[in-house]
Amino acid sequence: MTSDSKSTSSASSSASRRSATPNEPGSSIVPASSSGDLMSFFKGILSFTGDLSSLTCPSFLLNGISLLEYGAHWSDYPHVLAEITKATDSAERMKLVARWFVSTLYGSYNKRVAESNTGEKKPFNPILGEQFLASWNDGEFGETKFVCEQVSHHPPVSAIYFENAKAGIYGSGHFSQKSKFKGTTMKVVQEGRVTLRMSNTDEVFCLTLPNLNICSILTGKPFLEMSDTTYIRSTSGYTAEFQWLAKSWFYGEYHKFTGSIFKDPEPTYTQNGPGQELLFSMKGKWVADSYVVDEKTGAESVLFDVKAQPPADMIIKPVEKQSELESRRIWNKVSEALASGNYDVASKEKTAIEEKQRALRRERAEANVEWKPSLFTWIDDADDEEAVRKCYAYLFSAKESVGTGSWVYNASPRKAVSKPTPQQSGSQTPSDAFSTAQSSI
C-alpha cells in the first residue's frame, strides 16, 4: 500500500480507492469467516519447497475462471493486432508489435483487480486436453479467432493460437508458470513464448513472457506486478526490450516500465551492445497510458492508452452448447457455487473433476497409452525455419525461460518445416474448434 493510502482517513477511504486504483485493491478477497483457513494455508505455503502451483487452494481464494481463459487477452484489442500489417518497414512494424504486446497486459494481469476492487484470486488449473475457444468482431478488420488447449498437466502448459484472416496475421504460443515465495511476495516465472507472423511479409516476431510478482498476499489483497525484462526479436534483426520497474517500499508508483527498440546485428543479446542502433524509447504505465519517442526526431506519441477504448467484446458459445472439453462447461458447477458463496459445494465439485482426471491418468498408464494434444504439435527449434531458430537463439541468450521449442497450431498457415505425427487424441479437429468459436452468445 502506498504512503498516500496509509494516511487516508476511514471517512474518505472509498473516495480514495476510486481515484487510487489500480495500484492496489481496496477490499480483501478473504471472507471474514475464512480468515483462520487462510492462515493455515499460508503456513503450508511457507513450509512448502516445490512449485506452489501444485498446492490445493481453498475454494474462497478461487476466481471461478480457468487459467486457460487468460490466454485470450492476447486478442483483447483485435484492431491493434491487425494494424501491425499496415506498417511499411521493419522498424515501424516492431513499434506496432510492441504496441500490441502492451495492449495485452492490462487484461492479462490487472483488469480483474481494477474492475472488482478486490484482490487477485487463483484461477482453476486446466485439466489435460481442456480447450477455450473464442472470437471477436471488428468493423474494419473482421473476425479474430482464438483457440487454447492444455497440452500438458505435469508440468502445466497451455498452448494458444490466434488469427485474423482478413488482415493476414496470426500467432502461436505457449505458457506455463513456476512460483515460489520470496519474503512476503510470490515470484512467478513464466516460461514460454509467442511467435507472430503475417502473410504480407516474411518477417517473424518472437516474444518472451514477463515474470510476475504477486504482492500483498499476507494482507488478503493480492495484486500482480510485472518484474524483470521482456524481449521481442524480429527475424530482420530488430529488438524491443521492456524493463518492468518495481515500486520501492517507501515511494514511487506501481506498474511502470521503460523500454527501447533498437537494431542489433549480433546473433546473441548483450545489454547495451556496441553495435546496437537505438530507434525508439518507451515509457509509461502498462495499466494506463504509455508513450514512444522517436530518437531521431524527438517526437513523442502515444504507444497505448488503456483508458482510451475498452477491449473488444469476446464471443463465446453458451455453456450448454460447448463441448465437454471446453473450459466454461468443465468448470461451470464450480463457478456457479463460487459465485453464490457456497464454498463447500465448490470444493466438492472441483474435487470430483480432479478425481475423474486422476482415474483417466491411471487408465492410460495401465493401458500404456500416451495422451497427445488434438490441436497443437510440438516443434523443436532445431526443426524450425532457420531465421526463426536464430531469432529464438538470440532471445535464449537473454532469457532462458523462452525455451527451445514451440507448440504450433496444427491448422496454422505457417510453413511446415518438420513432419509432425498426426494427433489422434481428443474429440475435436482444428476446424471443428474454430467453427465452435464462431457462434455468438
Side-chain angles (χ1 to χ4, degrees), residues 21 38 80 85 88 102 105 122 151 167-168 180 186 230 232 313 338 342 369 390 409 440:
T21 54
L38 178 68
V80 176
T85 61
T88 56
V102 172
L105 301 177
K122 185 182 182 300
V151 294
K180 63 180 180 179
M186 186 181 293
T230 303
I232 306 173
D313 293 330
L338 291 173
N342 197 333
V369 174
K390 290 181 177 179
Y409 184 56
S440 170

mmCIF file of all heavy atoms in Angstrom, residues 21 38 80 85 88 102 105 122 151 167-168 180 186 230 232 313 338 342 369 390 409 440:
data_model
loop_
_atom_site.group_PDB
_atom_site.id
_atom_site.type_symbol
_atom_site.label_atom_id
_atom_site.label_comp_id
_atom_site.label_asym_id
_atom_site.label_seq_id
_atom_site.Cartn_x
_atom_site.Cartn_y
_atom_site.Cartn_z
ATOM 1 N N THR A 21 -7.034 3.343 -7.496
ATOM 2 C CA THR A 21 -6.876 2.104 -8.235
ATOM 3 C C THR A 21 -6.327 2.411 -9.624
ATOM 4 O O THR A 21 -6.546 3.511 -10.128
ATOM 5 C CB THR A 21 -8.226 1.369 -8.357
ATOM 6 O OG1 THR A 21 -9.176 2.247 -8.904
ATOM 7 C CG2 THR A 21 -8.682 0.836 -7.023
ATOM 8 N N LEU A 38 -7.314 -19.198 5.935
ATOM 9 C CA LEU A 38 -6.283 -18.512 5.167
ATOM 10 C C LEU A 38 -4.925 -18.640 5.848
ATOM 11 O O LEU A 38 -3.916 -18.932 5.194
ATOM 12 C CB LEU A 38 -6.647 -17.033 4.994
ATOM 13 C CG LEU A 38 -5.612 -16.182 4.249
ATOM 14 C CD1 LEU A 38 -5.540 -16.610 2.791
ATOM 15 C CD2 LEU A 38 -5.952 -14.702 4.373
ATOM 16 N N VAL A 80 -5.717 -3.520 -32.837
ATOM 17 C CA VAL A 80 -4.310 -3.231 -32.558
ATOM 18 C C VAL A 80 -3.426 -4.328 -33.138
ATOM 19 O O VAL A 80 -2.348 -4.068 -33.682
ATOM 20 C CB VAL A 80 -4.079 -3.075 -31.038
ATOM 21 C CG1 VAL A 80 -2.609 -2.864 -30.726
ATOM 22 C CG2 VAL A 80 -4.901 -1.902 -30.501
ATOM 23 N N THR A 85 -0.110 -5.023 -39.614
ATOM 24 C CA THR A 85 0.104 -5.345 -41.038
ATOM 25 C C THR A 85 0.143 -4.090 -41.915
ATOM 26 O O THR A 85 0.517 -4.182 -43.091
ATOM 27 C CB THR A 85 -1.001 -6.278 -41.550
ATOM 28 O OG1 THR A 85 -2.275 -5.628 -41.429
ATOM 29 C CG2 THR A 85 -1.030 -7.576 -40.742
ATOM 30 N N THR A 88 4.993 -0.207 -43.074
ATOM 31 C CA THR A 88 5.674 -0.292 -44.370
ATOM 32 C C THR A 88 7.157 -0.619 -44.259
ATOM 33 O O THR A 88 7.818 -0.819 -45.277
ATOM 34 C CB THR A 88 5.514 1.040 -45.125
ATOM 35 O OG1 THR A 88 6.019 2.110 -44.305
ATOM 36 C CG2 THR A 88 4.048 1.302 -45.451
ATOM 37 N N VAL A 102 1.919 -4.466 -25.411
ATOM 38 C CA VAL A 102 1.498 -3.689 -24.238
ATOM 39 C C VAL A 102 -0.022 -3.746 -24.081
ATOM 40 O O VAL A 102 -0.539 -3.790 -22.960
ATOM 41 C CB VAL A 102 1.995 -2.230 -24.346
ATOM 42 C CG1 VAL A 102 1.411 -1.363 -23.233
ATOM 43 C CG2 VAL A 102 3.518 -2.182 -24.293
ATOM 44 N N LEU A 105 -1.459 -6.598 -21.820
ATOM 45 C CA LEU A 105 -1.034 -6.739 -20.425
ATOM 46 C C LEU A 105 -2.128 -6.410 -19.417
ATOM 47 O O LEU A 105 -2.267 -7.096 -18.398
ATOM 48 C CB LEU A 105 0.195 -5.859 -20.167
ATOM 49 C CG LEU A 105 1.406 -6.166 -21.048
ATOM 50 C CD1 LEU A 105 2.538 -5.177 -20.756
ATOM 51 C CD2 LEU A 105 1.871 -7.599 -20.855
ATOM 52 N N LYS A 122 -6.947 -16.968 -7.430
ATOM 53 C CA LYS A 122 -6.307 -18.014 -8.206
ATOM 54 C C LYS A 122 -7.277 -18.609 -9.228
ATOM 55 O O LYS A 122 -8.407 -18.935 -8.889
ATOM 56 C CB LYS A 122 -5.808 -19.127 -7.284
ATOM 57 C CG LYS A 122 -5.006 -20.224 -7.993
ATOM 58 C CD LYS A 122 -4.591 -21.295 -7.011
ATOM 59 C CE LYS A 122 -3.740 -22.365 -7.696
ATOM 60 N NZ LYS A 122 -4.467 -23.034 -8.807
ATOM 61 N N VAL A 151 -1.965 -28.570 -23.126
ATOM 62 C CA VAL A 151 -1.220 -29.622 -23.804
ATOM 63 C C VAL A 151 -0.390 -30.465 -22.840
ATOM 64 O O VAL A 151 0.172 -31.494 -23.230
ATOM 65 C CB VAL A 151 -0.306 -29.027 -24.896
ATOM 66 C CG1 VAL A 151 -1.151 -28.413 -26.010
ATOM 67 C CG2 VAL A 151 0.644 -27.982 -24.305
ATOM 68 N N ALA A 167 -6.887 -9.590 -42.096
ATOM 69 C CA ALA A 167 -5.673 -8.772 -42.007
ATOM 70 C C ALA A 167 -4.432 -9.569 -42.385
ATOM 71 O O ALA A 167 -3.388 -8.993 -42.715
ATOM 72 C CB ALA A 167 -5.529 -8.216 -40.589
ATOM 73 N N GLY A 168 -4.532 -10.894 -42.324
ATOM 74 C CA GLY A 168 -3.385 -11.729 -42.646
ATOM 75 C C GLY A 168 -2.344 -11.753 -41.543
ATOM 76 O O GLY A 168 -1.148 -11.597 -41.800
ATOM 77 N N LYS A 180 7.140 -19.470 -6.406
ATOM 78 C CA LYS A 180 7.680 -19.735 -5.078
ATOM 79 C C LYS A 180 7.663 -18.442 -4.274
ATOM 80 O O LYS A 180 7.638 -17.334 -4.836
ATOM 81 C CB LYS A 180 9.102 -20.280 -5.167
ATOM 82 C CG LYS A 180 10.115 -19.327 -5.785
ATOM 83 C CD LYS A 180 11.496 -19.957 -5.828
ATOM 84 C CE LYS A 180 12.516 -19.007 -6.449
ATOM 85 N NZ LYS A 180 13.883 -19.611 -6.476
ATOM 86 N N MET A 186 5.122 -13.533 -3.757
ATOM 87 C CA MET A 186 5.221 -14.749 -4.551
ATOM 88 C C MET A 186 5.828 -14.403 -5.908
ATOM 89 O O MET A 186 5.320 -13.547 -6.625
ATOM 90 C CB MET A 186 3.855 -15.397 -4.741
ATOM 91 C CG MET A 186 3.927 -16.750 -5.445
ATOM 92 S SD MET A 186 2.296 -17.501 -5.703
ATOM 93 C CE MET A 186 1.818 -17.846 -4.004
ATOM 94 N N THR A 230 11.393 -8.186 -20.481
ATOM 95 C CA THR A 230 10.750 -8.935 -21.560
ATOM 96 C C THR A 230 11.315 -8.447 -22.893
ATOM 97 O O THR A 230 11.614 -7.256 -23.045
ATOM 98 C CB THR A 230 9.228 -8.748 -21.525
ATOM 99 O OG1 THR A 230 8.733 -9.159 -20.251
ATOM 100 C CG2 THR A 230 8.549 -9.563 -22.604
ATOM 101 N N ILE A 232 11.260 -8.699 -27.378
ATOM 102 C CA ILE A 232 10.691 -9.076 -28.670
ATOM 103 C C ILE A 232 11.831 -9.011 -29.679
ATOM 104 O O ILE A 232 12.600 -8.040 -29.704
ATOM 105 C CB ILE A 232 9.555 -8.133 -29.104
ATOM 106 C CG1 ILE A 232 8.476 -8.031 -28.015
ATOM 107 C CG2 ILE A 232 8.942 -8.609 -30.418
ATOM 108 C CD1 ILE A 232 7.411 -6.982 -28.321
ATOM 109 N N ASP A 313 -15.516 -6.955 -27.369
ATOM 110 C CA ASP A 313 -16.358 -7.966 -26.728
ATOM 111 C C ASP A 313 -15.974 -9.361 -27.228
ATOM 112 O O ASP A 313 -15.938 -9.611 -28.430
ATOM 113 C CB ASP A 313 -17.835 -7.705 -27.036
ATOM 114 C CG ASP A 313 -18.339 -6.427 -26.381
ATOM 115 O OD1 ASP A 313 -17.818 -6.068 -25.305
ATOM 116 O OD2 ASP A 313 -19.245 -5.791 -26.956
ATOM 117 N N LEU A 338 -19.094 -20.920 -6.518
ATOM 118 C CA LEU A 338 -18.261 -19.818 -6.036
ATOM 119 C C LEU A 338 -19.009 -18.491 -6.111
ATOM 120 O O LEU A 338 -18.924 -17.659 -5.194
ATOM 121 C CB LEU A 338 -16.972 -19.734 -6.867
ATOM 122 C CG LEU A 338 -15.960 -20.863 -6.693
ATOM 123 C CD1 LEU A 338 -14.825 -20.714 -7.709
ATOM 124 C CD2 LEU A 338 -15.393 -20.873 -5.278
ATOM 125 N N ASN A 342 -21.076 -20.501 -2.015
ATOM 126 C CA ASN A 342 -21.205 -21.843 -1.442
ATOM 127 C C ASN A 342 -19.891 -22.586 -1.653
ATOM 128 O O ASN A 342 -19.733 -23.388 -2.574
ATOM 129 C CB ASN A 342 -22.358 -22.593 -2.105
ATOM 130 C CG ASN A 342 -22.792 -23.802 -1.301
ATOM 131 O OD1 ASN A 342 -21.985 -24.370 -0.560
ATOM 132 N ND2 ASN A 342 -24.050 -24.190 -1.447
ATOM 133 N N VAL A 369 -1.017 -46.172 -22.849
ATOM 134 C CA VAL A 369 -1.447 -45.249 -23.893
ATOM 135 C C VAL A 369 -0.917 -43.853 -23.575
ATOM 136 O O VAL A 369 -1.109 -43.342 -22.472
ATOM 137 C CB VAL A 369 -2.991 -45.209 -23.996
ATOM 138 C CG1 VAL A 369 -3.427 -44.126 -24.979
ATOM 139 C CG2 VAL A 369 -3.523 -46.564 -24.425
ATOM 140 N N LYS A 390 17.287 -18.847 -35.343
ATOM 141 C CA LYS A 390 18.289 -17.862 -34.934
ATOM 142 C C LYS A 390 17.671 -16.787 -34.036
ATOM 143 O O LYS A 390 18.314 -16.295 -33.112
ATOM 144 C CB LYS A 390 18.921 -17.220 -36.171
ATOM 145 C CG LYS A 390 19.823 -18.159 -36.955
ATOM 146 C CD LYS A 390 20.426 -17.448 -38.159
ATOM 147 C CE LYS A 390 21.394 -18.363 -38.915
ATOM 148 N NZ LYS A 390 21.958 -17.675 -40.107
ATOM 149 N N TYR A 409 -0.055 -24.563 -33.659
ATOM 150 C CA TYR A 409 -1.412 -24.961 -34.015
ATOM 151 C C TYR A 409 -1.394 -25.768 -35.310
ATOM 152 O O TYR A 409 -0.791 -25.356 -36.313
ATOM 153 C CB TYR A 409 -2.277 -23.715 -34.156
ATOM 154 C CG TYR A 409 -3.730 -23.967 -34.429
ATOM 155 C CD1 TYR A 409 -4.500 -24.747 -33.581
ATOM 156 C CD2 TYR A 409 -4.342 -23.396 -35.545
ATOM 157 C CE1 TYR A 409 -5.846 -24.969 -33.840
ATOM 158 C CE2 TYR A 409 -5.685 -23.601 -35.808
ATOM 159 C CZ TYR A 409 -6.429 -24.393 -34.951
ATOM 160 O OH TYR A 409 -7.761 -24.600 -35.205
ATOM 161 N N SER A 440 -22.089 -16.659 -31.963
ATOM 162 C CA SER A 440 -22.270 -15.632 -30.930
ATOM 163 C C SER A 440 -23.173 -16.124 -29.816
ATOM 164 O O SER A 440 -24.037 -16.954 -30.021
ATOM 165 C CB SER A 440 -22.876 -14.376 -31.566
ATOM 166 O OG SER A 440 -23.266 -13.456 -30.577
#
